[in-house]
Amino acid sequence: MATRLGTPSLSLRHGLRCVTDATVTVEEVLVAVGEKLSDLFVSFDETPHGVASLAQVHKAVLQDGSTVAVKVQHPKVQKQSSKDIVVMEALLNMVHWLFPDFAFMWLVEEAKKNMPLELDFLNEGRNAEKLAAMLAHFPWLRIPKIHWKLSTKRILTMDFAEGGQVNDRGYMKRHNIDVNEISQNLGKMYSEMIFVQGFVHCDPHPGNVLVWKCPNTNKTEIVLLDHGLYQILHPDFRLAYCHLWLSLIKGDLKRIERYSRRLGAGDLYPLFACVLTARSWTSINAGIGKTPVSCSEDVEIRTNAARYLPQISDLLNRVPRQMLLLLKSNDLLRGIETTLQTRASSSSFIIMTRCCTRAIARHKRSKSNSKIRRLQITLFESLTLWQISLYELFLWVKELTLGRQLI
């Protein structure tokens, strides 16, 4: 229930005791803001709006009438996370001793590196602002504004975001939101992050991606939350990844092998291509941009995943650590597309092709000292993008014609 904060003597400790039940966290906020709770909020909802493993979120209203979300880290999570990593390392060592083919020790390395970043809410706020600036050209993307004066390492205050989860088809139907538009914009957002910017939000589970139709403009927005964990891609890695995806879409087997090896897959490059795309080797041979996903193929992939577990373990130990979070992001995005029933759409491959083309052209221009060469690169880029747009128009006309024939 919402607590009205009209009493001047009401302290921040009192307002947050139901949230954290931890003196240390509350005192930290008091030092950071130097204010009483009543001076900060008109109301503060003591019932969490959302609860996760690291924190919980409360809805509040500032003195200027703005509605905000106050993300509060659980008081014991810092100590508990360190213990969890120790336990996980011991268990994995034991399993590895019993089963030498089990080689997932990289999980501990990644946890040790990523956990401190996720527990620092100021780092999360900086990531949010960085991405908002990078993707400011997407009018449909909203990243909640951070209120720095009301934020610390363990408390993050941001604009409150309305909306339903991106995998909630019922919510979209009730609010007349086009699932294809959402799926396409989600693809644009992540392709831009991965292929062009090299700064990737690594936790796109449905609870962190909201959809919302603004009642004033009637325009649909995607709201991206939880910016604690990002992957910064090395330029060489990112460019090899661009080339690999272009090769996968076209079915260019020589280049698939070349760029898979460059990304550390070695002789396991066919398995790497299948893991990366969640497609069969038959579909990869034909070009995944040309062959839609089928139910039988999904069954084949799930069956082979269990059969080739030792080889997958070996593969994950070979590839750069940057690849691991990208694989996780790919799986989460693929799950959203499956729920929205848009996974078979060719638009995602068109979006990826366009971003890869732009990223490769930009890299080539940055390496060239010749104005004529830079002009040639730009002209070739423009021609390629025009061809992609022409192909997209062809698919749209074909779909429209087919739709009329079925009526």
Side-chain angles (χ1 to χ4, degrees):
M1 117 185 140
T3 303
R4 300 300 300 179
L5 304 175
T7 309
S9 60
L10 188 60
S11 68
L12 189 56
R13 179 194 300 271
H14 174 79
L16 290 182
R17 69 185 179 199
C18 297
V19 181
T20 64
D21 194 28
T23 305
V24 175
T25 301
V26 176
E27 287 182 349
E28 179 185 335
V29 179
L30 282 169
V31 171
V33 301
E35 299 279 354
K36 294 179 180 178
L37 188 61
S38 57
D39 294 331
L40 302 176
F41 304 111
V42 174
S43 68
F44 191 101
D45 196 338
E46 294 179 358
T47 303
H49 187 77
V51 179
S53 57
L54 299 182
Q56 56 195 48
V57 177
H58 292 255
K59 190 174 181 180
V61 178
L62 300 180
Q63 296 291 349
D64 64 2
S66 302
T67 304
V68 294
V70 184
K71 182 177 179 180
V72 185
Q73 192 175 117
H74 298 316
K76 297 179 181 179
V77 75
Q78 297 265 359
K79 292 181 180 179
Q80 189 59 47
S81 62
S82 300
K83 292 178 183 177
D84 289 344
I85 290 174
V86 171
V87 172
M88 180 171 67
E89 186 170 16
L91 289 173
L92 287 174
N93 275 318
M94 187 182 301
V95 173
H96 182 60
W97 179 72
L98 293 170
F99 306 99
D101 287 339
F102 184 90
F104 282 90
M105 292 308 297
W106 51 266
L107 285 169
V108 178
E109 298 170 20
E110 290 302 300
K112 287 179 178 178
K113 182 181 72 174
N114 295 326
M115 189 57 71
L117 297 175
E118 291 192 85
L119 294 178
D120 182 356
F121 287 175
L122 294 179
N123 174 67
E124 178 177 343
R126 289 189 292 268
N127 286 340
E129 289 194 339
K130 182 176 179 179
L131 189 73
M134 280 183 173
L135 304 186
H137 55 288
F138 290 148
W140 41 262
L141 175 61
R142 183 154 58 94
I143 296 173
K145 172 188 165 186
I146 305 299
H147 295 259
W148 288 108
K149 291 182 179 180
L150 303 177
S151 299
T152 72
K153 281 192 171 185
R154 297 174 67 182
I155 291 184
L156 186 65
T157 305
M158 68 203 91
D159 285 351
F160 187 83
E162 299 280 359
Q165 290 191 4
V166 70
N167 64 342
D168 190 343
R169 286 179 62 87
Y171 175 88
M172 294 191 204
K173 187 175 182 180
R174 289 193 302 273
H175 292 83
N176 197 28
I177 295 174
D178 185 354
V179 294
N180 291 307
E181 179 188 350
I182 292 299
S183 185
Q184 287 179 21
N185 286 343
L186 196 61
K188 288 178 184 177
M189 179 175 70
Y190 263 86
S191 290
E192 185 79 15
M193 280 192 273
I194 293 171
F195 300 116
V196 180
Q197 302 296 342
F199 185 69
V200 189
H201 181 286
C202 284
D203 199 13
H205 72 72
N208 289 338
V209 187
L210 306 181
V211 292
W212 164 251
K213 176 164 278 192
C214 180
N216 298 326
T217 63
N218 207 35
K219 292 183 178 179
T220 303
E221 296 177 339
I222 291 178
V223 185
L224 189 61
L225 306 173
D226 198 348
H227 302 270
L229 188 58
Y230 272 75
Q231 185 67 265
I232 300 174
L233 304 183
H234 188 278
D236 292 340
F237 173 93
R238 179 171 55 83
L239 287 166
Y241 197 62
C242 285
H243 283 294
L244 175 58
W245 268 104
L246 285 177
S247 306
L248 288 165
I249 291 168
K250 295 175 183 177
D252 188 334
L253 296 184
K254 287 185 178 180
R255 290 172 68 87
I256 289 172
E257 179 180 357
R258 179 193 309 169
Y259 289 107
S260 294
R261 288 183 180 276
R262 194 170 293 183
L263 289 168
D267 292 336
L268 294 175
Y269 72 89
L271 179 63
F272 178 56
C274 293
V275 168
L276 184 62
T277 59
R279 302 296 301 273
S280 68
W281 184 242
T282 302
S283 295
I284 289 168
N285 272 266
I288 59 173
K290 303 171 187 175
T291 53
V293 184
S294 65
C295 293
S296 60
E297 186 180 8
D298 274 341
V299 171
E300 179 186 348
I301 289 293
R302 286 194 295 271
T303 303
N304 287 337
R307 183 183 303 167
Y308 293 108
L309 185 59
Q311 291 89 339
I312 293 173
S313 173
D314 184 18
L315 175 66
L316 294 178
N317 273 288
R318 292 186 186 192
V319 297
R321 296 286 78 101
Q322 292 186 326
M323 182 61 70
L324 301 177
L325 286 177
L326 285 185
L327 289 172
K328 172 191 171 186
S329 300
N330 284 347
D331 284 343
L332 288 168
L333 291 170
R334 205 171 286 127
I336 292 171
E337 287 182 340
T338 300
T339 303
L340 296 181
Q341 299 176 6
T342 58
R343 189 178 165 197
S345 172
S346 60
S347 63
S348 60
F349 297 117
I350 292 172
I351 291 164
M352 291 170 71
T353 303
R354 192 175 274 126
C355 283
C356 288
T357 300
R358 286 172 47 220
I360 293 169
R362 188 172 71 173
H363 174 73
K364 288 180 178 179
R365 277 193 297 268
S366 70
K367 296 296 182 181
S368 176
N369 294 321
S370 166
K371 289 184 178 180
I372 293 177
R373 177 58 184 154
R374 288 198 296 271
L375 179 61
Q376 289 175 334
I377 293 167
T378 300
L379 289 174
F380 183 76
E381 176 192 12
S382 299
L383 177 62
T384 304
L385 292 174
W386 179 79
Q387 289 173 332
I388 294 169
S389 297
L390 194 63
Y391 178 66
E392 190 174 26
L393 178 63
F394 164 75
L395 290 178
W396 178 79
V397 171
K398 182 180 177 181
E399 184 178 338
L400 187 66
T401 304
L402 182 62
R404 286 178 176 174
Q405 289 175 353
L406 293 174
I407 294 175

